Short mmCIF file of all heavy atoms in Angstrom, two decimals:
data_model
loop_
_atom_site.label_atom_id
_atom_site.label_comp_id
_atom_site.label_asym_id
_atom_site.label_seq_id
_atom_site.Cartn_x
_atom_site.Cartn_y
_atom_site.Cartn_z
N SER A 1 -9.79 139.92 -23.79
CA SER A 1 -10.03 140.30 -25.18
C SER A 1 -10.06 139.04 -26.05
O SER A 1 -10.90 138.91 -26.94
CB SER A 1 -8.95 141.25 -25.67
OG SER A 1 -7.66 140.64 -25.61
N GLN A 2 -9.17 138.13 -25.80
CA GLN A 2 -9.15 136.80 -26.42
C GLN A 2 -8.53 135.85 -25.40
O GLN A 2 -7.55 136.21 -24.72
CB GLN A 2 -8.29 136.78 -27.69
CG GLN A 2 -8.78 137.63 -28.83
CD GLN A 2 -9.80 136.89 -29.69
OE1 GLN A 2 -10.09 135.72 -29.46
NE2 GLN A 2 -10.35 137.58 -30.67
N ARG A 3 -9.07 134.67 -25.28
CA ARG A 3 -8.48 133.67 -24.39
C ARG A 3 -8.79 132.29 -24.95
O ARG A 3 -9.90 131.78 -24.79
CB ARG A 3 -9.00 133.81 -22.95
CG ARG A 3 -8.35 132.78 -22.00
CD ARG A 3 -8.87 132.89 -20.60
NE ARG A 3 -8.52 131.70 -19.83
CZ ARG A 3 -7.68 131.68 -18.79
NH1 ARG A 3 -7.10 132.80 -18.39
NH2 ARG A 3 -7.43 130.56 -18.16
N ARG A 4 -7.81 131.69 -25.60
CA ARG A 4 -8.00 130.38 -26.23
C ARG A 4 -7.05 129.36 -25.63
O ARG A 4 -6.48 128.53 -26.34
CB ARG A 4 -7.82 130.52 -27.74
CG ARG A 4 -8.84 131.47 -28.36
CD ARG A 4 -8.55 131.78 -29.82
NE ARG A 4 -8.73 130.61 -30.66
CZ ARG A 4 -8.40 130.59 -31.97
NH1 ARG A 4 -7.88 131.67 -32.52
NH2 ARG A 4 -8.58 129.49 -32.68
N LEU A 5 -6.92 129.41 -24.31
CA LEU A 5 -6.03 128.48 -23.63
C LEU A 5 -6.49 127.05 -23.83
O LEU A 5 -5.67 126.15 -24.09
CB LEU A 5 -5.95 128.82 -22.14
CG LEU A 5 -5.14 127.84 -21.28
CD1 LEU A 5 -3.70 127.75 -21.74
CD2 LEU A 5 -5.22 128.24 -19.81
N ILE A 6 -7.78 126.80 -23.72
CA ILE A 6 -8.27 125.42 -23.86
C ILE A 6 -7.93 124.88 -25.24
O ILE A 6 -7.50 123.72 -25.38
CB ILE A 6 -9.80 125.37 -23.61
CG1 ILE A 6 -10.09 125.63 -22.13
CG2 ILE A 6 -10.37 124.02 -24.04
CD1 ILE A 6 -11.57 125.65 -21.80
N GLU A 7 -8.09 125.70 -26.26
CA GLU A 7 -7.77 125.23 -27.62
C GLU A 7 -6.28 124.94 -27.75
O GLU A 7 -5.88 123.97 -28.41
CB GLU A 7 -8.19 126.28 -28.64
CG GLU A 7 -8.10 125.80 -30.07
CD GLU A 7 -8.68 126.79 -31.06
OE1 GLU A 7 -9.38 127.73 -30.63
OE2 GLU A 7 -8.44 126.62 -32.27
N CYS A 8 -5.44 125.75 -27.11
CA CYS A 8 -4.00 125.48 -27.12
C CYS A 8 -3.71 124.13 -26.46
O CYS A 8 -2.93 123.31 -26.97
CB CYS A 8 -3.25 126.59 -26.41
SG CYS A 8 -3.22 128.18 -27.23
N LEU A 9 -4.32 123.90 -25.31
CA LEU A 9 -4.09 122.67 -24.57
C LEU A 9 -4.52 121.44 -25.35
O LEU A 9 -3.78 120.45 -25.48
CB LEU A 9 -4.83 122.71 -23.24
CG LEU A 9 -4.35 123.76 -22.21
CD1 LEU A 9 -5.37 123.92 -21.09
CD2 LEU A 9 -2.98 123.38 -21.65
N ARG A 10 -5.71 121.50 -25.91
CA ARG A 10 -6.23 120.32 -26.62
C ARG A 10 -5.57 120.11 -27.96
O ARG A 10 -5.34 118.97 -28.38
CB ARG A 10 -7.75 120.46 -26.74
CG ARG A 10 -8.43 120.25 -25.38
CD ARG A 10 -9.93 120.32 -25.44
NE ARG A 10 -10.51 119.82 -24.18
CZ ARG A 10 -11.70 120.13 -23.73
NH1 ARG A 10 -12.48 120.95 -24.42
NH2 ARG A 10 -12.14 119.64 -22.58
N THR A 11 -5.25 121.19 -28.64
CA THR A 11 -4.52 121.06 -29.90
C THR A 11 -3.15 120.43 -29.65
O THR A 11 -2.72 119.53 -30.38
CB THR A 11 -4.36 122.43 -30.58
OG1 THR A 11 -5.64 122.97 -30.85
CG2 THR A 11 -3.56 122.32 -31.88
N GLY A 12 -2.47 120.92 -28.62
CA GLY A 12 -1.16 120.37 -28.29
C GLY A 12 -1.21 118.92 -27.88
O GLY A 12 -0.36 118.11 -28.28
N ALA A 13 -2.19 118.58 -27.06
CA ALA A 13 -2.32 117.19 -26.61
C ALA A 13 -2.53 116.25 -27.78
O ALA A 13 -1.93 115.16 -27.85
CB ALA A 13 -3.48 117.08 -25.61
N GLU A 14 -3.37 116.66 -28.72
CA GLU A 14 -3.62 115.81 -29.88
C GLU A 14 -2.38 115.68 -30.76
O GLU A 14 -2.01 114.58 -31.19
CB GLU A 14 -4.78 116.38 -30.70
CG GLU A 14 -5.13 115.55 -31.92
CD GLU A 14 -6.31 116.13 -32.70
OE1 GLU A 14 -6.85 117.17 -32.30
OE2 GLU A 14 -6.67 115.53 -33.74
N ARG A 15 -1.74 116.81 -31.04
CA ARG A 15 -0.57 116.78 -31.93
C ARG A 15 0.60 116.03 -31.30
O ARG A 15 1.36 115.36 -32.00
CB ARG A 15 -0.15 118.21 -32.27
CG ARG A 15 1.06 118.32 -33.20
CD ARG A 15 0.74 117.84 -34.61
NE ARG A 15 -0.21 118.74 -35.24
CZ ARG A 15 0.15 119.79 -35.97
NH1 ARG A 15 1.42 120.09 -36.16
NH2 ARG A 15 -0.78 120.55 -36.54
N PHE A 16 0.76 116.13 -29.99
CA PHE A 16 1.91 115.54 -29.32
C PHE A 16 1.73 114.05 -29.03
O PHE A 16 2.69 113.36 -28.74
CB PHE A 16 2.17 116.28 -28.01
CG PHE A 16 3.55 116.10 -27.45
CD1 PHE A 16 4.64 116.66 -28.08
CD2 PHE A 16 3.75 115.38 -26.27
CE1 PHE A 16 5.93 116.51 -27.56
CE2 PHE A 16 5.03 115.22 -25.75
CZ PHE A 16 6.12 115.79 -26.39
N GLY A 17 0.50 113.58 -29.14
CA GLY A 17 0.25 112.20 -28.75
C GLY A 17 0.20 112.03 -27.24
O GLY A 17 0.67 111.03 -26.69
N TRP A 18 -0.40 113.00 -26.57
CA TRP A 18 -0.49 112.99 -25.11
C TRP A 18 -1.26 111.78 -24.59
O TRP A 18 -1.02 111.31 -23.46
CB TRP A 18 -1.14 114.29 -24.65
CG TRP A 18 -1.23 114.50 -23.18
CD1 TRP A 18 -2.34 114.42 -22.41
CD2 TRP A 18 -0.16 114.84 -22.29
NE1 TRP A 18 -2.05 114.71 -21.10
CE2 TRP A 18 -0.71 114.97 -20.99
CE3 TRP A 18 1.20 115.06 -22.46
CZ2 TRP A 18 0.06 115.29 -19.87
CZ3 TRP A 18 1.98 115.39 -21.34
CH2 TRP A 18 1.40 115.50 -20.08
N ASN A 19 -2.15 111.23 -25.39
CA ASN A 19 -2.94 110.09 -24.95
C ASN A 19 -2.09 108.84 -24.73
O ASN A 19 -2.53 107.88 -24.11
CB ASN A 19 -4.08 109.80 -25.94
CG ASN A 19 -3.57 109.44 -27.33
OD1 ASN A 19 -2.46 109.82 -27.71
ND2 ASN A 19 -4.36 108.70 -28.08
N ARG A 20 -0.86 108.85 -25.25
CA ARG A 20 0.04 107.71 -25.05
C ARG A 20 0.83 107.82 -23.74
O ARG A 20 1.56 106.90 -23.38
CB ARG A 20 1.02 107.61 -26.23
CG ARG A 20 0.34 107.35 -27.57
CD ARG A 20 1.33 106.91 -28.62
NE ARG A 20 2.35 107.92 -28.89
CZ ARG A 20 2.22 108.90 -29.78
NH1 ARG A 20 1.10 109.01 -30.48
NH2 ARG A 20 3.19 109.76 -29.98
N ARG A 21 0.68 108.93 -23.04
CA ARG A 21 1.39 109.12 -21.78
C ARG A 21 0.83 108.17 -20.73
O ARG A 21 -0.38 108.00 -20.58
CB ARG A 21 1.22 110.56 -21.31
CG ARG A 21 1.69 110.85 -19.88
CD ARG A 21 1.39 112.29 -19.54
NE ARG A 21 1.67 112.65 -18.17
CZ ARG A 21 0.82 112.58 -17.16
NH1 ARG A 21 -0.42 112.15 -17.40
NH2 ARG A 21 1.16 112.94 -15.94
N ILE A 22 1.73 107.55 -19.97
CA ILE A 22 1.34 106.70 -18.85
C ILE A 22 1.33 107.58 -17.60
O ILE A 22 2.36 108.16 -17.22
CB ILE A 22 2.31 105.53 -18.68
CG1 ILE A 22 2.31 104.67 -19.96
CG2 ILE A 22 1.93 104.68 -17.47
CD1 ILE A 22 3.36 103.57 -19.95
N ALA A 23 0.18 107.70 -16.97
CA ALA A 23 0.04 108.64 -15.86
C ALA A 23 0.90 108.26 -14.66
O ALA A 23 1.46 109.13 -13.98
CB ALA A 23 -1.43 108.74 -15.45
N THR A 24 1.03 106.97 -14.39
CA THR A 24 1.85 106.53 -13.26
C THR A 24 3.31 106.74 -13.59
O THR A 24 3.78 106.28 -14.64
CB THR A 24 1.59 105.05 -12.95
OG1 THR A 24 0.19 104.86 -12.72
CG2 THR A 24 2.39 104.61 -11.74
N PRO A 25 4.06 107.43 -12.73
CA PRO A 25 5.46 107.72 -13.06
C PRO A 25 6.33 106.47 -13.13
O PRO A 25 6.01 105.41 -12.57
CB PRO A 25 5.91 108.63 -11.90
CG PRO A 25 4.66 109.16 -11.30
CD PRO A 25 3.63 108.10 -11.51
N ALA A 26 7.44 106.60 -13.87
CA ALA A 26 8.51 105.60 -13.95
C ALA A 26 8.03 104.26 -14.51
O ALA A 26 8.51 103.21 -14.10
CB ALA A 26 9.15 105.40 -12.57
N GLN A 27 7.12 104.30 -15.48
CA GLN A 27 6.57 103.07 -16.05
C GLN A 27 7.01 102.81 -17.49
O GLN A 27 6.79 101.73 -18.00
CB GLN A 27 5.04 103.13 -16.00
CG GLN A 27 4.46 103.20 -14.61
CD GLN A 27 4.89 102.02 -13.76
OE1 GLN A 27 4.67 100.86 -14.11
NE2 GLN A 27 5.52 102.32 -12.63
N GLN A 28 7.61 103.81 -18.12
CA GLN A 28 7.95 103.63 -19.54
C GLN A 28 9.46 103.65 -19.70
O GLN A 28 10.15 104.55 -19.22
CB GLN A 28 7.32 104.73 -20.39
CG GLN A 28 7.55 104.53 -21.89
CD GLN A 28 6.80 105.56 -22.73
OE1 GLN A 28 6.02 106.34 -22.20
NE2 GLN A 28 7.04 105.55 -24.02
#
């Protein structure tokens, strides 16, 4: 009926500053 999962994911990533995450573990 409604499915806006992608918008939730991208909105959250932008608001949280997900782009600052270092993908390799134990680096920060």
Side-chain angles (χ1 to χ4, degrees):
S1 61
Q2 296 275 356
R3 181 181 165 114
R4 299 171 68 187
L5 175 60
I6 290 178
E7 189 173 347
C8 291
L9 294 167
R10 288 182 167 156
T11 300
E14 181 179 0
R15 180 69 67 92
F16 199 70
W18 184 253
N19 62 334
R20 298 194 298 272
R21 169 183 175 270
I22 300 173
T24 304
Q27 298 302 303
Q28 185 174 353

